């Protein structure tokens, strides 16, 4: 078993920064626990701007990534009691001078997603949305379609299973 900092958005931001030299930052929340400290250390080490990251009381989100011998993987996040950023904590300053906002679809934080989109668009920022999982698409398709049909999403990332579920 290997423990690393990540998540689809964090991995994208870290890759853009460390792999391509693109200045990137993250907006979110973490806790002062082992996982939170690992996250902050890893993102800082890779040059990610953490000025939009807020420390909160409670546990940092965790995810188990299962990979088989063929390289197929599945992600099982545990976000239920993790610290979260609230919609009213987002400010225009969080998005100022940004070109893209990269988000992951999750029904439990739709209010934050909608607020982030609204503020980012006011700042002229393009929006990228990762569909998260085929289960998220299947179980919460209506609010997802509402987001996609709003015209505010400039780029949507979906793997094959998520795309099939979305277009079913």
């Amino acid at each position: 078993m290997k423990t690393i900092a990540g998540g689809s958005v964090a991995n994208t931001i870290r890759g853009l920064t460390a792999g391509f030299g693109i200045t990137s930052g993250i907006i979110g929340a973490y806790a002062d626990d082992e996982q939170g400290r690992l996250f902050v250390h890893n993102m800082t080490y890779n040059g990610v701007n953490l000025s939009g990251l807020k420390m909160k009381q409670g546990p940092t989100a965790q995810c188990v990534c299962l990979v088989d011998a063929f390289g197929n993987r599945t992600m099982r996040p545990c976000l239920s009691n993790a610290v979260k950023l609230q919609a009213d904590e987002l400010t225009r300053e969080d998005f100022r001078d940004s070109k893209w906002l990269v988000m992951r679809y999750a029904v439990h934080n739709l209010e934050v997603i909608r607020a982030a989109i609204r503020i980012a668009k006011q700042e002229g920022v393009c929006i990228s949305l990762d569909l998260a999982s085929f289960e998220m698409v299947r179980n919460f398709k209506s609010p997802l379609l509402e987001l996609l049909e709003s015209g505010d999403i400039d780029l949507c990332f979906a793997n094959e299973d998520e795309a099939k579920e979305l277009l079913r």
Side-chain angles (χ1 to χ4, degrees):
M1 186 169 87
K2 184 176 182 181
T3 302
I4 59 172
S8 62
V9 171
N11 291 340
T12 300
I13 298 305
R14 181 179 46 230
L16 289 170
T17 303
F20 295 100
I22 297 172
T23 302
S24 304
I26 196 158
I27 301 168
Y30 74 102
D32 186 20
D33 56 14
E34 184 179 349
Q35 290 77 24
R37 288 187 294 275
L38 172 69
F39 185 83
V40 168
H41 172 77
N42 184 265
M43 293 296 135
T44 301
Y45 176 81
N46 284 283
V48 175
N49 178 343
L50 300 181
S51 62
L53 198 61
K54 296 168 179 49
M55 187 190 317
K56 295 187 163 202
Q57 294 296 319
T60 300
Q62 296 183 53
C63 182
V64 173
C65 178
L66 305 170
V67 183
D68 70 14
F70 301 105
N72 299 308
R73 68 171 178 81
T74 187
M75 310 288 280
R76 295 294 161 218
C78 178
L79 308 173
S80 59
N81 66 343
V83 295
K84 295 175 184 68
L85 199 62
Q86 302 301 312
D88 62 359
E89 295 177 279
L90 296 171
T91 67
R92 289 183 75 151
E93 185 61 35
D94 291 326
F95 303 94
R96 191 152 293 135
D97 298 324
S98 296
K99 293 180 182 173
W100 283 91
L101 171 62
V102 179
M103 296 187 301
R104 176 185 174 274
Y105 179 63
V107 74
H108 64 273
N109 67 342
L110 273 175
E111 183 181 347
V112 174
I113 290 173
R114 289 183 181 123
I117 290 170
R118 180 179 45 77
I119 297 169
K121 286 299 180 181
Q122 289 171 354
E123 290 296 316
V125 176
C126 293
I127 310 293
S128 167
L129 185 67
D130 177 327
L131 294 190
S133 71
F134 74 90
E135 297 99 339
M136 188 68 68
V137 174
R138 176 184 298 152
N139 295 332
F140 306 103
K141 191 172 185 175
S142 180
L144 173 60
L145 287 174
E146 182 182 311
L147 281 175
L148 294 174
E149 292 170 351
S150 72
D152 290 329
I153 306 300
D154 299 290
L155 181 62
C156 179
F157 281 99
N159 65 28
E160 184 178 0
D161 293 334
E162 294 159 358
K164 283 180 181 176
E165 198 60 49
L166 180 64
L167 300 174
R168 182 181 305 239

